[in-house]
Amino acid sequence: MMQCHHLQRNKVLLLFILFSAALPSITSAYANNNNNEAKPKPLMRAWMCSGKTQRDMVDKLAQAGIVKSAINKEALLRVDRKNYVLRTQQGDSAHQDSPLPIGFGQTISAPHMHAQVLEDLLPPLLAASKDRPDKLLKILDVGCGSGYLTAVFGRMVESKENRRKSTPLNEGKVFGIDVVPELVHMSKTNVMKEDGDLLDSGTVEFMLRDGWKGYPENAPYNAIHVGAAAATFPKQLMMQLAPGGVMVVPVGPDGGIQYLYRVERVGDGGAVVGVDESKGFQEDDYELYRVLGVRYVPLVQKD
């Protein structure tokens, strides 16, 4: 759901600040690089991992050091990107390392960006599996678009009987939501091409929802991915993270400077949707890290 230009991963200190009365309920964050580098460097070999097949593309992502985990590599190998692009793109374009339009003003992200997201979200899934080996993992994919990344998440947490390789991840559920009805339908149609077992087993579900509000009915989530740029940090989504959970979200104005952030929930002093919603939002519950400079389409807010 984005187009992106990379800068270097930087951990930053952030201060949450409430906007003026014109935007009384929106939280903003201001950040400074903690390593004082004047100009962050691009991710090495990003945009250079195009292939002729899914395996060719994934192998190049691994060779470039963008796909690092065997778990993520296996999941990417099992979901062919050609099934999630438009029919006119199903030739050589399907495995190019570039974003592609999917209609309705949206895009499917470049493969190297999907790989980056998977690497950022795998650690909290592994930690939750280790801490609670009998508990289902929950993943929320906000702005599911054509359904591709939702299906990849599904392969990561599908039933252990269906996995081609044993992994330490618990079984889980993945919820793909989008505000555009046609994209929800497209996601379901695309998954049914070769990954229909994910729907049949209930591992993956798609539904029409406002991405800013998330899907509180099944919160809290161990991982949340937001596939479009939020103008400010989405507090309702942040409160749907389980303690120890991580959200990857692009933040910044449409057409302006945007960064991909990793939001880690380190406390439960505030509301945890689905557990205790009475406390309200607490900034100290979260640590934020600026990952990459990006260019995304905006996260649509439903009236």
Side-chain angles (χ1 to χ4, degrees):
M1 299 287 290
M2 55 195 165
Q3 296 178 352
C4 46
H5 298 288
H6 287 288
L7 308 177
Q8 186 181 13
R9 175 187 298 263
N10 288 297
K11 181 177 179 180
V12 294
L13 300 175
L14 291 122
L15 173 64
F16 280 103
I17 301 175
L18 291 178
F19 270 20
S20 62
L23 296 170
S25 62
I26 299 177
T27 297
S28 179
Y30 290 84
N32 295 307
N33 289 338
N34 64 349
N35 59 6
N36 296 316
E37 288 188 3
K39 188 176 290 186
K41 299 175 183 178
L43 187 67
M44 293 302 295
R45 294 190 64 186
W47 304 89
M48 298 176 62
C49 299
S50 298
K52 294 184 178 180
T53 65
Q54 183 73 11
R55 177 169 288 278
D56 187 22
M57 180 189 75
V58 174
D59 283 345
K60 288 181 178 178
L61 289 166
Q63 292 164 9
I66 302 172
V67 174
K68 301 178 178 68
S69 165
I71 295 174
N72 289 337
K73 184 176 181 180
E74 178 65 19
L76 286 166
L77 285 172
R78 294 196 61 193
V79 182
D80 199 326
R81 192 172 186 251
K82 73 178 182 181
N83 293 323
Y84 297 86
V85 299
L86 300 180
R87 184 175 301 176
T88 56
Q89 302 163 346
Q90 290 177 356
D92 293 340
S93 298
H95 303 107
Q96 288 183 358
D97 192 15
S98 62
L100 294 171
I102 56 173
F104 310 98
Q106 305 300 314
T107 62
I108 181 174
S109 302
H112 70 266
M113 277 306 304
H114 281 151
Q116 177 68 56
V117 166
L118 292 171
E119 292 297 330
D120 280 330
L121 291 179
L122 180 59
L125 298 176
L126 288 169
S129 298
K130 181 179 179 180
D131 292 343
R132 299 285 299 276
D134 298 324
K135 188 173 182 179
L136 283 176
L137 297 172
K138 290 185 181 181
I139 303 172
L140 179 64
D141 189 16
V142 178
C144 58
S146 66
Y148 176 65
L149 194 57
T150 315
V152 176
F153 284 135
R155 290 300 179 199
M156 293 170 67
V157 300
E158 67 183 337
S159 67
K160 295 185 177 181
E161 291 79 9
N162 289 342
R163 298 180 192 180
R164 294 179 182 175
K165 296 183 179 180
S166 177
T167 77
L169 286 179
N170 290 357
E171 296 179 3
K173 295 268 293 182
V174 185
F175 304 92
I177 65 173
D178 208 291
V179 73
V180 181
E182 292 85 353
L183 292 179
V184 175
H185 177 73
M186 180 190 295
S187 293
K188 294 177 182 178
T189 300
N190 289 341
V191 169
M192 288 301 297
K193 293 174 183 175
E194 293 184 1
D195 302 299
D197 59 295
L198 294 174
L199 292 177
D200 294 340
S201 65
T203 302
V204 167
E205 294 183 23
F206 294 102
M207 59 212 69
L208 185 67
R209 289 289 189 280
D210 182 344
W212 283 90
K213 297 178 181 178
Y215 189 37
E217 293 88 337
N218 277 286
Y221 300 99
N222 304 104
I224 298 177
H225 165 250
V226 183
T232 59
F233 286 90
K235 291 195 294 183
Q236 290 191 55
L237 288 178
M238 293 167 72
M239 290 188 289
Q240 291 176 36
L241 278 173
V246 172
M247 175 170 64
V248 174
V249 55
V251 180
D254 184 20
I257 297 174
Q258 300 173 353
Y259 290 99
L260 188 69
Y261 285 90
R262 188 175 73 252
V263 178
E264 300 181 0
R265 181 148 198 175
V266 296
D268 59 357
V272 180
V273 175
V275 178
D276 183 353
E277 303 177 38
S278 64
K279 301 176 184 177
F281 182 83
Q282 294 293 328
E283 297 169 2
D284 291 343
D285 285 344
Y286 307 93
E287 290 183 357
L288 283 71
Y289 300 85
R290 197 169 69 192
V291 181
L292 299 167
V294 294
R295 182 66 60 86
Y296 282 71
V297 296
L299 181 63
V300 177
Q301 190 158 12
K302 188 176 180 181
D303 293 336

